[in-house]
Amino acid sequence: MSNLKVSFLGLGVMGFPMAGHLSKAGYPVIVYNRTAQKAKDWVTTYKLDGAQVRACETVAEACEEASIVFMCVGNDNDVKEVAYQALKVMKPGSVLVDHTTASADIARELYAACTEKDIGFLDAPVSGGQAGAENGQLTVMVGGDQESYDKAEPVMSHYARHSQLLGKSGSGQLAKMMNQICIAGIVQGLSEALHFGQRADLDCNAVIDVISKGAAQSWQMENRASTMLSNTFDFGFAVDWMRKDLGIALDEARKNGSTLALTALVDQYYADVQKLGGGRWDTSSLLTRLK
């Protein structure tokens, strides 16, 4: 059992299993969730074999004893609301790690606020989706200082297959934007290929089996092509969340002068899927708008 006390704020589809991995690893874990029942459910799930876990009704209560505070909430406004409550009670030398996909601007703001209080801050968005969180196979893109990263990385390793410090504050969020830009283009390309193959009366599962062995291979092809062909979109990363992420990337592109023509187009394609009622469908549902 580790003596390092950690807190986890936000127990959604990602945070719930991520915090669970920390408990299973032997850390005393204190959790907080805006919907208190979710925190109680988490304790019920992970209070096994003498695990030191408890739920708190306020952010302050959850954070006041923690050496590392992890958070995974919804958007910039949620990040600010929760983080500034945490900073009121966090002790000097502790570290705040934000796993939310948010803007680079909020990351830089919180880094400055934490530095004033001698608290470390890492912007550390993740990739891998719900399955990656549940299986402890997330990828973590991190911005911040080496000292803070060295404190947090051994703990994050219990739910991450790989994490990497990429530069100063905001670098993690910028890397996540690159990640989502890549995914958007790949999913659209895969959708068009499957649409083309179906119209050509090909056995698309057989074709995918062949081309996935060559240069066209991708995680999306390996993990989503068959479900796309069966019209199964009730898992994974939701369209609503992807549009939030792409919006962040497009906003940043306007600031740094980069051109994201394909990303902007695919973002509008996702808007079409939302109009079809698919806001909570998996991102691979881009195929539906082609039918």
Side-chain angles (χ1 to χ4, degrees):
M1 183 72 68
S2 172
N3 292 322
L4 184 69
K5 294 182 179 180
V6 301
S7 297
F8 209 105
L9 314 176
L11 300 172
V13 295
M14 302 293 287
F16 197 101
M18 290 165 72
H21 285 297
L22 301 184
S23 175
K24 290 178 180 178
Y27 293 99
V29 183
I30 302 171
V31 297
Y32 165 83
N33 194 72
R34 186 174 299 172
T35 304
Q37 186 58 49
K38 180 67 73 71
K40 294 176 182 177
D41 292 343
W42 183 91
V43 170
T44 299
T45 302
Y46 291 103
K47 196 173 182 62
L48 305 170
D49 301 323
Q52 297 182 42
V53 298
R54 65 185 176 95
C56 294
E57 295 185 357
T58 67
V59 172
E61 184 185 356
C63 298
E64 58 189 357
E65 298 179 6
S67 298
I68 305 178
V69 175
F70 298 93
M71 57 186 290
C72 190
V73 292
N75 54 39
D76 277 26
N77 291 335
D78 297 327
V79 169
K80 290 182 71 169
E81 178 184 348
V82 174
Y84 280 114
Q85 290 181 59
L87 287 180
K88 291 179 181 179
V89 300
M90 289 178 65
K91 56 191 178 184
S94 59
V95 180
L96 175 61
V97 181
D98 182 23
H99 286 307
T100 312
T101 296
S103 70
D105 287 342
I106 188 62
R108 298 181 187 113
E109 176 184 331
L110 289 177
Y111 175 84
C114 286
T115 300
E116 288 182 1
K117 295 177 175 289
D118 193 25
I119 295 169
F121 177 77
L122 300 173
D123 53 291
V126 301
S127 179
Q130 183 176 351
E134 292 173 349
N135 297 325
Q137 293 292 303
L138 294 171
T139 299
V140 189
M141 297 148 272
V142 189
D145 297 333
Q146 187 71 52
E147 181 181 359
S148 298
Y149 178 75
D150 289 343
K151 290 179 182 178
E153 190 279 330
V155 186
M156 293 190 296
S157 68
H158 294 290
Y159 48 74
R161 66 176 177 179
H162 181 71
S163 67
Q164 188 165 335
L165 181 63
L166 297 168
K168 62 185 179 180
S169 179
S171 298
Q173 296 297 352
L174 294 170
K176 180 61 184 287
M177 294 174 209
M178 291 178 64
N179 185 81
Q180 302 304 74
I181 290 166
C182 289
I183 290 173
I186 291 168
V187 174
Q188 178 60 20
L190 179 58
S191 297
E192 292 185 10
L194 295 176
H195 174 64
F196 174 87
Q198 289 175 319
R199 287 297 182 93
D201 293 325
L202 290 170
D203 180 343
C204 287
N205 281 304
V207 174
I208 291 297
D209 185 57
V210 174
I211 66 175
S212 65
K213 307 299 191 296
Q217 189 276 340
S218 69
W219 186 96
Q220 298 293 336
M221 181 178 288
E222 293 282 356
N223 291 275
R224 292 290 181 263
S226 62
T227 55
M228 291 165 74
L229 289 170
S230 65
N231 293 308
T232 303
F233 306 110
D234 58 350
F235 54 85
F237 189 71
V239 167
D240 287 343
W241 302 338
M242 186 59 153
R243 286 214 71 205
K244 182 206 81 170
D245 291 0
L246 294 181
I248 292 171
L250 291 167
D251 284 344
E252 188 68 31
R254 283 186 281 271
K255 295 174 186 175
N256 69 21
S258 54
T259 302
L260 303 183
L262 178 59
T263 304
L265 184 62
V266 177
D267 178 57
Q268 290 307 302
Y269 290 166
Y270 276 123
D272 293 341
V273 176
Q274 288 176 319
K275 292 174 184 176
L276 294 172
R280 303 299 291 182
W281 294 346
D282 178 72
T283 51
S284 59
S285 59
L286 275 176
L287 179 63
T288 61
R289 62 174 295 280
L290 297 174
K291 294 185 175 182

